[in-house]
Amino acid sequence: SLNTHIDALAEVFERERARAGAVAPSFVHPDMRRRARREIAMADWIRVPSSHAAESFVARGVDPARIAIVPLAVDLTHFQPVPVREEGFRVLSVATVDARKGAHYLLEAFTTAALPGAELEIIGGTGSRWARALMARGTRGPHAITLRHADVLRAPASETYGRASVLV
């Protein structure tokens, strides 16, 4: 499982969609939940990427002995350190602009902080009217907020992650 237990995932998504006022259909279809629960019940082992994910399975009755925590891998041949940029302060987020990813919290935090000369760059897509409206409001204001599309696995790290002062 690349995420938390399917029911924990669905609960968080629904709560965040409601908080954000997003009206898109649920990301987790009821059939997806049923299928995932069946697979969890049948599995000998469940691989998760973090202790947080493991705890979500245990909290829903999965025997901890069936859970293996295996952190996600990173291609170190691609993601190499780059020289530090001295000019400006750039916040980078590489994620879909979506309530489930907390895009509204990021935009609110960035605009509230109002750091002089700071930039917020989001590399990702907008897949809903809510996301497009959120980005339209964010990019219209006085803050330096940009949305761009890039394949972070193919583009040189110096053109994506390496341009950031901080990654959110």
Side-chain angles (χ1 to χ4, degrees):
S1 175
L2 292 177
N3 293 296
T4 57
H5 187 283
I6 189 72
D7 292 332
L9 190 67
E11 290 163 12
V12 169
F13 287 171
E14 291 308 310
R15 185 173 57 246
E16 290 304 316
R17 281 176 1 99
R19 281 185 187 160
V23 294
S26 175
F27 176 76
V28 182
H29 190 277
D31 288 343
M32 183 181 182
R33 285 176 88 164
R34 282 190 288 276
R35 185 185 73 233
R37 285 189 206 118
R38 261 194 328 268
E39 290 173 357
I40 291 166
M42 293 171 54
D44 294 324
W45 290 93
I46 300 166
R47 181 185 61 95
V48 296
S50 67
S51 58
H52 171 72
E55 290 165 11
S56 75
F57 281 84
V58 172
R60 281 158 180 81
V62 176
D63 179 358
R66 294 177 47 219
I67 300 171
I69 299 172
V70 180
L72 299 174
V74 174
D75 179 359
L76 296 176
T77 61
H78 178 74
F79 294 100
Q80 292 284 318
V82 296
V84 176
R85 294 178 53 235
E86 293 300 325
E87 79 278 355
F89 182 75
R90 178 174 286 125
V91 177
L92 174 66
S93 174
V94 178
T96 305
V97 177
D98 194 313
R100 68 189 179 93
K101 296 288 187 172
H104 51 296
Y105 294 123
L106 174 59
L107 289 173
E108 179 184 355
F110 183 78
T111 57
T112 300
L115 302 171
E119 303 170 27
L120 168 60
E121 181 176 50
I122 300 173
I123 299 177
T126 55
S128 69
R129 271 185 261 158
W130 176 86
R132 287 187 291 279
L134 178 72
M135 287 309 301
R137 286 190 306 274
T139 57
R140 237 188 342 248
H143 305 284
I145 299 173
T146 57
L147 173 70
R148 74 178 177 111
H149 304 283
D151 183 344
V152 296
L153 297 178
R154 290 207 171 94
S158 61
E159 310 259 328
T160 56
Y161 293 97
R163 295 170 26 110
S165 305
V166 64
L167 176 65
V168 177

mmCIF file of all heavy atoms in Angstrom, residues 133-143 145:
data_model
loop_
_atom_site.group_PDB
_atom_site.id
_atom_site.type_symbol
_atom_site.label_atom_id
_atom_site.label_comp_id
_atom_site.label_asym_id
_atom_site.label_seq_id
_atom_site.Cartn_x
_atom_site.Cartn_y
_atom_site.Cartn_z
ATOM 1 N N ALA A 133 -9.900 27.162 -9.863
ATOM 2 C CA ALA A 133 -10.343 28.404 -9.214
ATOM 3 C C ALA A 133 -9.385 28.796 -8.091
ATOM 4 O O ALA A 133 -9.063 29.976 -7.924
ATOM 5 C CB ALA A 133 -11.763 28.240 -8.676
ATOM 6 N N LEU A 134 -8.920 27.816 -7.323
ATOM 7 C CA LEU A 134 -7.965 28.081 -6.246
ATOM 8 C C LEU A 134 -6.696 28.709 -6.811
ATOM 9 O O LEU A 134 -6.196 29.718 -6.295
ATOM 10 C CB LEU A 134 -7.639 26.785 -5.507
ATOM 11 C CG LEU A 134 -6.625 26.894 -4.373
ATOM 12 C CD1 LEU A 134 -7.239 27.623 -3.183
ATOM 13 C CD2 LEU A 134 -6.157 25.507 -3.945
ATOM 14 N N MET A 135 -6.164 28.137 -7.868
ATOM 15 C CA MET A 135 -4.941 28.660 -8.465
ATOM 16 C C MET A 135 -5.183 30.020 -9.122
ATOM 17 O O MET A 135 -4.311 30.890 -9.066
ATOM 18 C CB MET A 135 -4.360 27.674 -9.484
ATOM 19 C CG MET A 135 -3.713 26.460 -8.846
ATOM 20 S SD MET A 135 -2.503 26.838 -7.549
ATOM 21 C CE MET A 135 -1.320 27.836 -8.423
ATOM 22 N N ALA A 136 -6.345 30.214 -9.713
ATOM 23 C CA ALA A 136 -6.644 31.515 -10.318
ATOM 24 C C ALA A 136 -6.641 32.602 -9.249
ATOM 25 O O ALA A 136 -6.074 33.685 -9.451
ATOM 26 C CB ALA A 136 -7.989 31.468 -11.035
ATOM 27 N N ARG A 137 -7.239 32.316 -8.101
ATOM 28 C CA ARG A 137 -7.239 33.292 -7.003
ATOM 29 C C ARG A 137 -5.807 33.526 -6.498
ATOM 30 O O ARG A 137 -5.415 34.661 -6.242
ATOM 31 C CB ARG A 137 -8.121 32.817 -5.849
ATOM 32 C CG ARG A 137 -9.605 32.922 -6.119
ATOM 33 C CD ARG A 137 -10.443 32.681 -4.868
ATOM 34 N NE ARG A 137 -10.165 31.423 -4.188
ATOM 35 C CZ ARG A 137 -10.722 30.251 -4.483
ATOM 36 N NH1 ARG A 137 -11.596 30.169 -5.474
ATOM 37 N NH2 ARG A 137 -10.416 29.166 -3.794
ATOM 38 N N GLY A 138 -5.045 32.457 -6.372
ATOM 39 C CA GLY A 138 -3.676 32.577 -5.850
ATOM 40 C C GLY A 138 -2.744 33.332 -6.771
ATOM 41 O O GLY A 138 -1.927 34.134 -6.313
ATOM 42 N N THR A 139 -2.847 33.099 -8.057
ATOM 43 C CA THR A 139 -1.931 33.734 -9.002
ATOM 44 C C THR A 139 -2.359 35.154 -9.360
ATOM 45 O O THR A 139 -1.578 35.901 -9.935
ATOM 46 C CB THR A 139 -1.779 32.883 -10.283
ATOM 47 O OG1 THR A 139 -3.071 32.676 -10.858
ATOM 48 C CG2 THR A 139 -1.128 31.547 -9.977
ATOM 49 N N ARG A 140 -3.595 35.529 -9.022
ATOM 50 C CA ARG A 140 -4.095 36.877 -9.298
ATOM 51 C C ARG A 140 -3.584 37.903 -8.290
ATOM 52 O O ARG A 140 -3.518 39.072 -8.584
ATOM 53 C CB ARG A 140 -5.634 36.858 -9.200
ATOM 54 C CG ARG A 140 -6.329 37.304 -10.402
ATOM 55 C CD ARG A 140 -7.822 37.464 -10.267
ATOM 56 N NE ARG A 140 -8.498 36.825 -9.178
ATOM 57 C CZ ARG A 140 -9.352 35.814 -9.289
ATOM 58 N NH1 ARG A 140 -9.602 35.305 -10.458
ATOM 59 N NH2 ARG A 140 -9.960 35.311 -8.239
ATOM 60 N N GLY A 141 -3.275 37.447 -7.105
ATOM 61 C CA GLY A 141 -2.898 38.357 -6.023
ATOM 62 C C GLY A 141 -1.512 38.937 -6.185
ATOM 63 O O GLY A 141 -0.819 38.694 -7.172
ATOM 64 N N PRO A 142 -1.081 39.684 -5.165
ATOM 65 C CA PRO A 142 0.216 40.350 -5.223
ATOM 66 C C PRO A 142 1.398 39.412 -4.954
ATOM 67 O O PRO A 142 2.541 39.827 -5.084
ATOM 68 C CB PRO A 142 0.104 41.394 -4.101
ATOM 69 C CG PRO A 142 -0.830 40.772 -3.114
ATOM 70 C CD PRO A 142 -1.824 39.980 -3.943
ATOM 71 N N HIS A 143 1.123 38.186 -4.598
ATOM 72 C CA HIS A 143 2.188 37.249 -4.243
ATOM 73 C C HIS A 143 2.711 36.534 -5.481
ATOM 74 O O HIS A 143 1.985 36.301 -6.434
ATOM 75 C CB HIS A 143 1.679 36.238 -3.218
ATOM 76 C CG HIS A 143 1.093 36.903 -2.007
ATOM 77 N ND1 HIS A 143 1.877 37.469 -1.030
ATOM 78 C CD2 HIS A 143 -0.182 37.123 -1.649
ATOM 79 C CE1 HIS A 143 1.097 38.004 -0.111
ATOM 80 N NE2 HIS A 143 -0.154 37.813 -0.453
ATOM 81 N N ILE A 145 3.198 33.606 -7.101
ATOM 82 C CA ILE A 145 2.771 32.204 -7.096
ATOM 83 C C ILE A 145 2.644 31.750 -8.537
ATOM 84 O O ILE A 145 1.957 32.384 -9.334
ATOM 85 C CB ILE A 145 1.415 32.032 -6.373
ATOM 86 C CG1 ILE A 145 1.528 32.481 -4.915
ATOM 87 C CG2 ILE A 145 0.941 30.586 -6.465
ATOM 88 C CD1 ILE A 145 0.209 32.518 -4.159
#
